[in-house]
Amino acid sequence: MSALLIKRLFRSLWRTKLRLFSVVFMIVIGVFSGISFGSYAITANSLYDVIYADTEEGVNLPDLWVETHSGVWDEANASTLCTNIETSWPDTSLQFKFCEPRLKLDGLTFYQTSSGEEKLVPSVWHGIDEGLVDRVWLPDDECCEGRLASADNEIVLDEHAASGMGFEVGDSISIAAGFGKMDYTIVGIGFHSNHLYFAQEGVLMPADAGTFVTGYMDASGLERLSNYSAGSANLLLIDIEGTPEYDLQSTTAIEGVQLSLISEHIASNISQNNNSAIQVYDRSGVDSVEFLRADAEGAIKSYPYVTGMLGLVAGITIFLSLQRLIQSQAKEIAVLRTLGVRRRSIMPGYVIAPLFIGGVGSLFGVILGYFVGAPAMSEMYEDIIGVPIIETFIPTSLILQNIGIVMVIVFISGIRPAWQAAQMQPLDVFRGQSEIRLSSRTIQRLTAWMPATVSLSVRSSLRKPMRLAFTFFAVGISMLIFGSMILMMGSIDEVVIGGLEERQSWDSQIYISPGGEHEVIQWAEGNDVNYELLLQFPANPKDDSRQIISQGIDEFSTTDNGAMQILVLKEGSTPQISSQTTQVMVDEGTAHFLDWGVGDIQTLEFGSNEVDVEIVGITQGEISRTIYFHRADLVEILDFEATSVLLVLPEGVEIPADLAENTLGIMVKEDIINSFETMMKVQKQFYVAVEGLGTILAVAVLFNTLLMNLAERDTELATLRVLGAPIKSIGLMMLGEHIAIGIIGGILAAIFSIVGTKILIGAMVQWAFFFTVQANWPVFVLIAGVVLGISIALTPFGMWRVWKMNLVDSVKDLSN
Amino acid sequence: MMEMTGIKRHYEMASGVVKALDGIDLQVKAGERLLLLGPSGSGKTTLLNCIAALDSPTEGTYFFEGNPVPRNAAEQMTTFRRDTIGFVFQNFNLLQDLTVLENVLLIQEIAGVIDEKRARELLILVGLENEIDRFPAEISGGQQQRVAIARSIAKKPKLLLGDELTGSLDSKTSETVMEVLVKACEAENITTVMVTHDESLAKYATRVVRLDSGLILSDNPVEN
Ligand SMILES: Nc1ncnc2c1ncn2[C@@H]1O[C@H](COP(=O)(O)OP(=O)(O)OP(=O)(O)O)[C@@H](O)[C@H]1O
Ligand SMILES: [Mg+2]
């Protein structure tokens, strides 16, 4: 291997600076994104590990929760249950550690907005007794301050709520939990494991400032607010030695076999001795815990693909560029070979060059990712989730992994061209066979009727079909990055906003304890307010711990006829009331994950109560897993009437405070929509940045190929210019060619990105978060249009290139 | 037909001024076949480029049919070339993606006078009736150069220029090509200026001009 040969290669690469830069740029982007995204994933993951740990700083997240949905246990009852659980602990390797009874209630905060308006904000209150498990998290960070509540009129407010509503330590706050309004003093501001992802129950978006409150009291504090006797509980927190594995909802495998056995054991044990409807769940059943884990897991799983995909675009570009370089150097290589330079001296340069490009790109990518990308991602995560990131992790292994991915790709992309260079036969080159590819007869015939200038454009675009194919593939990937963002945003928007605005006509949902509906109905009837009862209760498929929300509704409507909820029927029909086997509809996500279909009879578990249901229809548009019953059928199973009342409030009618005080909280549809819009606003920059990135990549890829196409035809174009072709007609020729490439490439890219997004989404959806992308024409046209636009926009550059061509020099080239 | 007076083409270099042309007076009459001979570096190519309006002289006047030839204005120069000049290159420079016939048609298109019948006649004139639908890579170098000749006269240029147009061909093929060129130019009544090193080509010319160091050394008619 000769240093001079390599020097020559680098000089010739340098001559195509612009193309060289675009390739390096792609690698920078690939490594940068991989590191930023990966660091985000690792940081989020480790953050929760730290928070959930059983340490001084951590909160000691329980391993199992036992929850009753019908009333509360009194002190004696709760402690008997705990003792029973301990004494009848099954014989497994998992050791019982504690059982702590807790009271957790839905309620309301009476909040006066800065404009003086009185608002009833849905709230969740936790009464924390011993605090051996699931403590309040008060990190040593500027977010938080104060101490835990110790008197029965003290409360620790969640940081999300405090910062969103402007509460501070020392302030007083008026709250209720179904038993009138009371005042508490805020003594601390912190976080709780159930509300790190700060969203109302059953809502996927983090709550907008001022629309949701959670607070953590001493056990006596919540007993006072709810008027329950001392020691009352509706929740048992069970801690197990160590951190046992639990079943992840995002996988089909059962990771926590041992833990599932214990939870089944506890469930059947309790329901034998106690007839209250209970539910036993592990960490995957806690929305916040599961959501944050799934999010971090998704990021961890996807960042290597992000790097890989971007690296692939760069790899293809490098491959094409090297091929072009070798082609343009064919004569030189042939001369070298004729002069006796060996094959193995030719090859190394073409292998080293891409590695060098990869190395330079990786270096800048790492620097940018480390100092800009990763911190920015942490900051964005803090903005969205609202939990302080204590430390941003950028492990060396992450950096090496990203560099590794890119280097492997660029290495592979350099191999074939290098081999081709080494294989060149000098005689073929001199005879011109390696350089000139004949236009095929077929294409000649097909284009023979065109004016020669047009057929020339068409034929020369088709001259390198492999190059075009690879280019379209790389443009496809770039546009996948662009298009997937647009499609995903559109679909989420459609599901959330479309679902709420178009298919839900209620404006407030009042949560009530069993029997509490009567008061609401009385008020509604007295005030001409339309209402509908709703019964919601968690269930799960038999022998499967994954949660489905069962919804009992009175009216099944699939058309806009003024019903409170309109369902989108994908398949089948709506259920008949009081059928032999209870008829239900399931959402398409449930059908997808459980492989359930119309006509199936399946068994559901409500606590330990098993119920057979017949699936008669499948609905569309639910993000969470849902199963629809006729409310009367569900009442039969659960033995209570409703968990909430949906209301359509006429202009000017408001829910009176004295009614609100006795409810378990009020959800306002407008608030959810606003929450979603706020979240979208925060994420918008990110999406716009990613879309921009995709576009820039597509520009770089197309630029590279079109430039190569032109460079290849410099002689041709110079000949035409010398023969008197005006720049205008050359420009038109080029434009025609670019339009053709733009249209074909655009259509391919649009198909590619829509299909790709569907596959991506298919891999991304989980039990707790399901949606499908609907491809639509506007998006198709947009994607194809962007590619066409880029292609056309590069024409002036090509024209400029021809324009500045020195004809005297060209003629010199033409004549020797 | 054309008239150059005091044409100079100087290159400003770091090492000093290179006087590629240093005061050329040249008149060409319609129907002449002029051969430019001279040692390497004498300025032949530079002169030809100036005649073609590919290059702009630094000094001097250049009239073509009584009109000044544009200089230092790319598009006007292009138009002049398109309307007036035909070009044959040493390396033929046919467009590889077009067939023989299409190569000729392309030039007609650019000049705005499409006439397929004439294109075919010209190809027959240069002896390529059997190669009309082949691609350049499918015919020999001499045949390619004949296509180039047909191509350059297809738009009826007033002046046909060639720089070492037989430079890539063996002597026998060169003779054929030159014979074809003479025949075609006489048939079409086209004036030609040809640059070469090859003294033996003088027999195809009506006049030989010798250059050295950017100046005309001699200018003699050829007797046939
Ligand atoms: N772009 C340029 N910059 C500087 N000097 C130049 C340039 N082009 C040509 N010259 C110089 O002008 C002189 C004439 O060059 P020209 O190409 O006209 O010679 P020529 O007679 O065609 O030679 P040959 O027979 O070798 O082709 C030479 O000395 C050459 O070095
Ligand atoms: Mg010369």
Side-chain angles (χ1 to χ4, degrees):
Chain A
M1 163 160 107
S2 148
L4 270 177
L5 281 181
I6 291 178
K7 191 159 139 192
R8 157 185 158 275
L9 180 64
F10 276 84
R11 281 196 186 145
S12 48
L13 277 173
W14 187 246
R15 250 189 302 153
T16 57
K17 275 189 279 309
L18 228 43
R19 268 161 47 199
L20 189 66
F21 282 137
S22 72
V23 174
V24 172
F25 165 79
M26 289 178 199
I27 292 176
V28 172
I29 295 289
V31 173
F32 166 81
S33 312
I35 288 182
S36 310
F37 212 51
S39 156
Y40 153 70
I42 293 166
T43 300
N45 235 358
S46 10
L47 173 72
Y48 299 116
D49 283 346
V50 169
I51 297 178
Y52 298 153
D54 183 10
T55 57
E56 283 283 294
E57 291 79 41
V59 303
N60 192 20
L61 189 67
D63 297 299
L64 286 175
W65 284 254
V66 179
E67 188 171 359
T68 172
H69 292 277
S70 43
V72 299
W73 300 299
D74 61 22
E75 182 170 25
N77 224 330
S79 74
T80 315
L81 284 171
C82 270
T83 320
N84 268 347
I85 288 169
E86 186 176 1
T87 53
S88 70
W89 193 256
D91 191 18
T92 70
S93 59
L94 301 178
Q95 293 300 305
F96 172 88
K97 204 167 159 192
F98 319 112
C99 171
E100 187 175 320
R102 281 277 172 91
L103 193 56
K104 172 187 167 188
L105 295 172
D106 289 331
L108 276 176
T109 298
F110 297 83
Y111 172 58
Q112 193 146 33
T113 61
S114 50
S115 57
E117 191 193 342
E118 190 71 57
K119 263 191 85 175
L120 305 171
V121 184
S123 311
V124 176
W125 311 123
H126 293 252
I128 298 172
D129 193 7
E130 297 160 273
L132 293 174
V133 283
D134 219 1
R135 295 178 281 263
V136 171
W137 188 50
L138 281 170
D140 189 11
D141 185 275
E142 59 189 39
C143 64
C144 306
E145 54 175 326
R147 57 171 173 83
L148 299 178
S150 54
D152 69 0
N153 62 348
E154 292 178 349
I155 188 169
V156 174
L157 208 60
D158 197 278
E159 197 279 336
H160 296 92
S163 61
M165 299 161 87
F167 283 112
E168 280 168 23
V169 167
D171 287 355
S172 166
I173 182 170
S174 300
I175 59 178
F179 190 75
K181 170 160 120 177
M182 285 179 200
D183 288 346
Y184 284 76
T185 306
I186 299 169
V187 295
I189 287 172
F191 294 93
H192 188 273
S193 69
N194 283 17
H195 309 290
L196 286 175
Y197 185 70
F198 201 67
Q200 299 187 54
E201 200 177 330
V203 178
L204 274 159
M205 293 78 61
D208 213 3
T211 64
F212 184 50
V213 177
T214 63
Y216 318 111
M217 298 169 226
D218 172 83
S220 63
L222 187 53
E223 284 151 11
R224 183 172 77 97
L225 184 68
S226 60
N227 201 32
Y228 283 124
S229 60
S232 295
N234 56 1
L235 198 58
L236 305 176
L237 307 184
I238 296 167
D239 191 22
I240 292 172
E241 291 288 356
T243 301
E245 284 212 53
Y246 60 98
D247 191 19
L248 304 179
Q249 306 220 340
S250 51
T251 64
T252 45
I254 297 174
E255 290 84 357
V257 182
Q258 302 256 32
L259 197 66
S260 309
L261 282 176
I262 295 175
S263 77
E264 276 164 34
H265 181 84
I266 293 174
S268 64
N269 200 0
I270 293 180
S271 52
Q272 272 166 25
N273 307 321
N274 192 311
N275 57 7
S276 61
I278 59 126
Q279 210 202 343
V280 182
Y281 51 86
D282 56 31
R283 293 181 175 192
S284 67
V286 180
D287 286 348
S288 162
V289 175
E290 171 60 16
F291 187 87
L292 295 172
R293 185 200 64 77
D295 176 59
E297 182 197 74
I300 281 192
K301 274 206 265 181
S302 48
Y303 79 81
Y305 294 98
V306 173
T307 316
M309 237 160 58
L310 295 167
L312 194 60
V313 176
I316 291 172
T317 315
I318 290 176
F319 169 73
L320 295 177
S321 299
L322 279 179
Q323 246 185 353
R324 160 72 193 141
L325 186 71
I326 286 160
Q327 179 207 326
S328 67
Q329 292 181 342
K331 281 225 170 82
E332 294 176 36
I333 294 170
V335 170
L336 288 172
R337 297 269 294 118
T338 315
L339 294 178
V341 175
R342 285 169 187 283
R343 279 200 175 130
R344 61 177 141 82
S345 310
I346 303 268
M347 210 164 142
Y350 294 97
V351 177
I352 290 173
L355 290 180
F356 182 78
I357 294 171
V360 172
S362 295
L363 178 70
F364 286 103
V366 167
I367 293 174
L368 275 178
Y370 194 96
F371 292 104
V372 182
M377 284 299 279
S378 285
E379 212 164 289
M380 189 179 82
Y381 193 68
E382 274 188 8
D383 269 359
I384 294 172
I385 307 291
V387 174
I389 302 264
I390 308 293
E391 189 186 347
T392 298
F393 289 92
I394 313 172
T396 319
S397 60
L398 173 70
I399 294 176
L400 292 179
Q401 188 190 11
N402 277 290
I403 295 179
I405 293 172
V406 161
M407 290 313 259
V408 166
I409 292 176
V410 296
F411 178 71
I412 291 172
S413 59
I415 288 279
R416 197 182 132 79
W419 186 80
Q420 280 178 323
Q423 292 304 310
M424 256 175 208
Q425 297 295 333
L427 278 180
D428 289 350
V429 176
F430 292 137
R431 261 191 253 121
Q433 285 177 355
S434 70
E435 210 178 341
I436 296 148
R437 189 192 157 273
L438 282 185
S439 267
S440 85
R441 279 283 161 206
T442 331
I443 295 174
Q444 193 259 329
R445 261 182 232 119
L446 285 175
T447 52
W449 56 274
M450 298 174 178
T453 29
V454 178
S455 69
L456 179 62
S457 321
V458 175
R459 290 178 206 177
S460 39
S461 338
L462 296 176
R463 176 156 35 185
K464 290 276 190 303
M466 277 311 273
R467 177 188 296 167
L468 264 193
F470 273 111
T471 302
F472 289 152
F473 180 58
V475 169
I477 297 178
S478 314
M479 291 318 285
L480 173 62
I481 296 169
F482 173 87
S484 61
M485 283 298 140
I486 293 187
L487 279 168
M488 240 173 342
M489 283 307 87
S491 303
I492 293 180
D493 200 77
E494 154 64 22
V495 166
V496 177
I497 297 292
L500 277 173
E501 257 170 13
E502 286 152 30
R503 299 198 296 274
Q504 309 274 322
S505 64
W506 53 273
D507 12 67
S508 288
Q509 181 174 13
I510 300 191
Y511 289 94
I512 44 166
S513 38
E517 66 273 14
H518 301 298
E519 202 183 343
V520 181
I521 293 172
Q522 209 174 14
W523 170 81
E525 287 179 344
N527 288 277
D528 260 346
V529 173
N530 256 335
Y531 69 91
E532 201 176 297
L533 295 182
L534 187 65
L535 179 53
Q536 276 176 311
F537 201 82
N540 54 279
K542 186 173 160 58
D543 297 328
D544 189 332
S545 65
R546 294 179 285 186
Q547 233 183 49
I548 310 180
I549 296 297
S550 61
Q551 277 208 31
I553 55 183
D554 284 329
E555 197 179 344
F556 279 86
S557 170
T558 51
T559 52
D560 191 357
N561 62 352
M564 297 267 181
Q565 297 195 71
I566 299 164
L567 304 178
V568 181
L569 193 62
K570 187 188 171 204
E571 203 187 321
S573 58
T574 54
Q576 297 297 314
I577 202 162
S578 310
S579 303
Q580 186 81 37
T581 310
T582 309
Q583 294 194 341
V584 298
M585 294 208 289
V586 297
D587 76 286
E588 67 172 328
T590 305
H592 168 82
F593 287 112
L594 297 174
D595 204 13
W596 287 2
V598 170
D600 287 4
I601 297 197
Q602 300 288 354
T603 309
L604 288 173
E605 293 178 348
F606 292 85
S608 55
N609 189 0
E610 288 185 9
V611 178
D612 283 342
V613 294
E614 183 191 351
I615 294 151
V616 296
I618 292 174
T619 63
Q620 207 167 23
E622 290 83 358
I623 290 180
S624 312
R625 306 296 53 78
T626 314
I627 182 160
Y628 296 98
F629 287 76
H630 268 287
R631 194 170 61 83
D633 289 341
L634 196 56
V635 170
E636 291 270 304
I637 299 164
L638 296 172
D639 229 18
F640 56 97
E641 290 287 323
T643 48
S644 62
V645 185
L646 300 175
L647 301 174
V648 181
L649 297 174
E651 196 68 42
V653 176
E654 273 180 43
I655 299 165
D658 59 338
L659 180 68
E661 279 172 26
N662 299 324
T663 69
L664 293 180
I666 297 169
M667 180 143 82
V668 180
K669 187 172 87 177
E670 207 48 44
D671 286 349
I672 304 174
I673 293 176
N674 290 340
S675 298
F676 178 75
E677 276 162 3
T678 308
M679 180 179 84
M680 281 305 177
K681 229 176 276 163
V682 177
Q683 299 199 335
K684 184 118 196 156
Q685 306 162 9
F686 176 74
Y687 290 121
V688 169
V690 175
E691 282 165 24
L693 190 85
T695 316
I696 292 175
L697 278 179
V699 171
V701 171
L702 274 175
F703 176 77
N704 190 56
T705 292
L706 296 181
L707 207 62
M708 282 192 298
N709 281 350
L710 287 179
E712 215 159 56
R713 281 155 57 201
D714 274 354
T715 327
E716 251 176 56
L717 295 172
T719 309
L720 288 177
R721 287 283 285 154
V722 172
L723 293 177
I727 195 84
K728 214 170 69 192
S729 65
I730 289 184
L732 277 174
M733 250 168 67
M734 235 181 248
L735 184 66
E737 184 176 337
H738 290 186
I739 288 177
I741 290 182
I743 289 177
I744 300 170
I747 291 173
L748 290 180
I751 295 173
F752 190 91
S753 51
I754 288 173
V755 172
T757 307
K758 288 202 170 195
I759 294 172
L760 273 182
I761 299 293
M764 216 180 76
V765 291
Q766 302 186 353
W767 181 261
F769 189 81
F770 180 88
F771 70 102
T772 51
V773 262
Q774 249 60 52
N776 48 21
W777 282 111
V779 174
F780 190 96
V781 171
L782 176 67
I783 295 172
V786 168
V787 176
L788 178 60
I790 295 170
S791 195
I792 291 175
L794 290 174
T795 311
F797 180 81
M799 282 174 70
W800 171 74
R801 212 187 125 87
V802 175
W803 176 260
K804 66 157 197 185
M805 222 179 236
N806 185 330
L807 289 182
V808 178
D809 285 352
S810 311
V811 169
K812 212 179 279 170
D813 283 346
L814 297 179
S815 306
N816 52 51
Chain B
M1 166 186 248
M2 73 83 129
E3 186 172 355
M4 285 181 146
T5 343
I7 288 288
K8 293 185 181 174
R9 179 66 174 97
H10 291 177
Y11 293 102
E12 309 277 345
M13 306 294 285
S15 51
V17 178
V18 177
K19 298 175 176 176
L21 298 179
D22 202 22
I24 299 278
D25 297 326
L26 183 68
Q27 294 172 352
V28 180
K29 291 192 196 70
E32 274 186 314
R33 282 195 303 282
L34 196 93
L35 202 62
L36 283 176
L37 279 171
S40 184
S42 54
K44 305 182 296 289
T45 300
T46 311
L47 178 57
L48 199 72
N49 287 345
C50 287
I51 296 173
L54 267 174
D55 201 356
S56 304
T58 29
E59 247 179 75
T61 57
Y62 174 20
F63 286 91
F64 194 93
E65 293 186 331
N67 301 314
V69 172
R71 55 177 76 166
N72 298 319
E75 276 315 274
Q76 276 144 282
M77 288 160 76
T78 304
T79 311
F80 171 77
R81 283 200 303 275
R82 190 185 66 201
D83 299 342
T84 325
I85 304 288
F87 237 106
V88 185
F89 307 97
Q90 179 180 351
N91 280 346
F92 333 136
N93 288 301
L94 299 179
L95 300 167
Q96 299 294 330
D97 285 312
L98 297 181
T99 60
V100 165
L101 176 65
E102 285 167 339
N103 261 283
V104 179
L105 289 174
L106 177 75
I107 298 308
Q108 292 183 334
E109 249 175 56
I110 290 173
V113 280
I114 303 175
D115 184 349
E116 189 172 331
K117 195 166 145 266
R118 177 172 154 78
R120 287 180 182 275
E121 279 167 13
L122 285 171
L123 285 169
I124 293 169
L125 182 67
V126 296
L128 292 173
E129 53 271 43
N130 296 323
E131 285 81 12
I132 276 183
D133 284 322
R134 295 210 203 151
F135 283 106
E138 297 167 339
I139 57 177
S140 75
Q143 288 170 328
Q144 290 195 39
Q145 196 59 302
R146 283 190 266 159
V147 177
I149 291 167
R151 174 173 79 172
S152 52
I153 57 184
K155 62 170 186 185
K156 266 197 196 286
K158 289 171 181 144
L159 187 58
L160 180 67
L161 305 176
D163 194 351
E164 305 283 5
L165 65 86
T166 57
S168 299
L169 305 172
D170 62 61
S171 55
K172 189 153 174 293
T173 316
S174 299
E175 307 248 305
T176 326
V177 166
M178 286 309 289
E179 276 161 20
V180 162
L181 181 84
V182 170
K183 189 170 99 185
C185 287
E186 277 178 347
E188 296 285 327
N189 194 19
I190 293 167
T191 314
T192 57
V193 176
M194 227 74 55
V195 162
T196 188
H197 281 110
D198 188 352
E199 297 273 350
S200 71
L201 296 181
K203 59 178 183 255
Y204 297 105
T206 58
R207 180 177 160 200
V208 171
V209 173
R210 286 173 198 277
L211 287 187
D212 200 1
S213 311
L215 289 165
I216 292 182
L217 212 64
S218 68
D219 184 347
N220 303 306
V222 180
E223 284 109 57
N224 286 337

